[in-house]
Amino acid sequence: MGKAKDERKQKIMMYLNETKFASLGELVEFLHYSDATVKRDLIELENEEQIRRTRGGAVLIDSEKVDAAYLTKVGNYVNDEEKRRIAERAVTYIEDDMTIFVDSSSTALHLIPYLKKIHGLRVVTNSVLTAALLSEHTAAEVTIVGGTVTNKKFTVNSVTAVNQLRTYHFDLALLSCRGYDEEKGATENTEGEAVFKQVLKDCTEKIILMVLESKRNKVYFYKSLLPEDIDIVI
């Protein structure tokens, strides 16, 4: 029994060394053991200070590079299977040597494990979390737009950031929204988010909107992207 547990823990560490974070469901599927067994293994690995458990999964600790508390915050964003599936579809539109914009959504964080396989990529984002993880785990050239960070959201939507966007040209923008309606398009509950996306549509060749089922058929106060502005809805 002890040998089997040690082998599972080694496999978990091998998996996390590759992906840096994983949901409990992913690890259960990978190991072919029960939720309860994998949870016990994760508790032991956390006690050994090799990982940090998050809501729904675990993140790898690299004590030389990343603060554990910071990774825990990130891990709380990246434990959703629906978002992972959306990211898997979205990344099929990204090619080598592209310049892309990735927004500050938690769905966008799920793109990161796939982007490390793409060469010559330049990524611009308005997310502090996304920029840090892209820099850590991919070879992409990463730019974060400047300005004031929104409290507790790790996001930059300031006038400075909007003006900076106007100087760029993107092959592709991967965006989320607060609500999406097939007739009205994408909408937001803050003016900053809406204006940010309105500027992006004027400097981007192709816009991909990543929409969770919970956000479909919902309309909020601020219009961001009309249906004709959106090239692909995932």
Side-chain angles (χ1 to χ4, degrees):
M1 184 65 69
K3 182 178 179 181
K5 180 173 67 174
D6 289 342
E7 288 178 351
R8 286 196 309 272
K9 289 165 64 176
Q10 288 176 7
K11 288 180 179 179
I12 290 171
M13 292 305 299
M14 289 174 57
Y15 191 92
L16 289 174
N17 274 314
E18 177 67 23
T19 64
K20 308 306 177 187
F21 44 75
S23 69
L24 178 62
E26 288 173 319
L27 293 172
V28 167
E29 183 178 354
F30 174 66
L31 295 168
H32 302 293
Y33 277 85
S34 69
D35 288 19
T37 298
V38 176
K39 282 181 181 178
R40 285 195 295 269
D41 292 339
L42 293 178
I43 290 171
E44 289 194 14
L45 287 169
E46 184 174 47
N47 290 338
E48 294 166 7
E49 298 185 349
Q50 297 192 66
I51 66 163
R52 281 288 180 270
R53 289 185 301 140
T54 68
R55 290 183 300 175
V59 290
L60 184 69
I61 294 175
D62 186 337
S63 59
E64 295 182 355
K65 295 182 179 179
V66 185
D67 176 71
Y70 179 77
L71 274 177
T72 300
K73 292 177 184 177
V74 175
N76 288 337
Y77 282 93
V78 285
N79 53 27
D80 188 288
E81 181 65 20
E82 182 186 8
K83 294 174 184 177
R84 187 185 66 78
R85 289 197 301 269
I86 290 173
E88 281 186 340
R89 290 180 58 193
V91 80
T92 62
Y93 295 95
I94 304 174
E95 300 175 0
D96 290 350
D97 303 313
M98 273 189 167
T99 297
I100 68 173
F101 181 89
V102 176
D103 74 3
S104 59
S105 67
S106 56
T107 302
L109 287 173
H110 289 73
L111 291 166
I112 293 169
Y114 307 104
L115 295 183
K116 63 185 178 183
K117 301 175 183 178
I118 300 173
H119 302 289
L121 194 63
R122 173 179 285 177
V123 184
V124 179
T125 183
N126 64 327
S127 167
V128 177
L129 289 177
T130 302
L133 287 171
L134 283 167
S135 178
E136 182 72 26
H137 301 305
T138 76
E141 179 182 325
V142 183
T143 299
I144 183 167
V145 291
T148 303
V149 179
T150 305
N151 286 344
K152 299 181 180 180
K153 292 189 177 180
F154 312 101
T155 301
V156 182
N157 287 326
S158 63
V159 173
T160 302
V162 167
N163 288 335
Q164 187 176 345
L165 276 185
R166 292 192 172 104
T167 69
Y168 295 147
H169 176 268
F170 301 106
D171 298 303
L172 193 66
L174 297 109
L175 308 174
S176 62
C177 60
R178 179 63 61 179
Y180 174 73
D181 179 88
E182 289 187 358
E183 294 183 359
K184 296 181 173 63
T187 53
E188 307 294 335
N189 62 2
T190 67
E191 186 176 15
E193 286 281 357
V195 171
F196 208 85
K197 291 179 175 65
Q198 289 166 10
V199 172
L200 273 167
K201 74 182 168 87
D202 294 328
C203 56
T204 303
E205 292 293 327
K206 181 179 290 185
I207 287 182
I208 296 178
L209 193 67
M210 302 180 293
V211 185
L212 298 173
E213 284 300 319
S214 61
K215 297 182 179 182
R216 291 181 183 269
N217 303 314
K218 292 186 178 179
V219 178
Y220 291 84
F221 185 69
Y222 294 101
K223 294 180 181 179
S224 57
L225 297 169
L226 298 174
E228 56 266 31
D229 298 326
I230 304 165
D231 296 285
I232 299 166
V233 178
I234 298 176

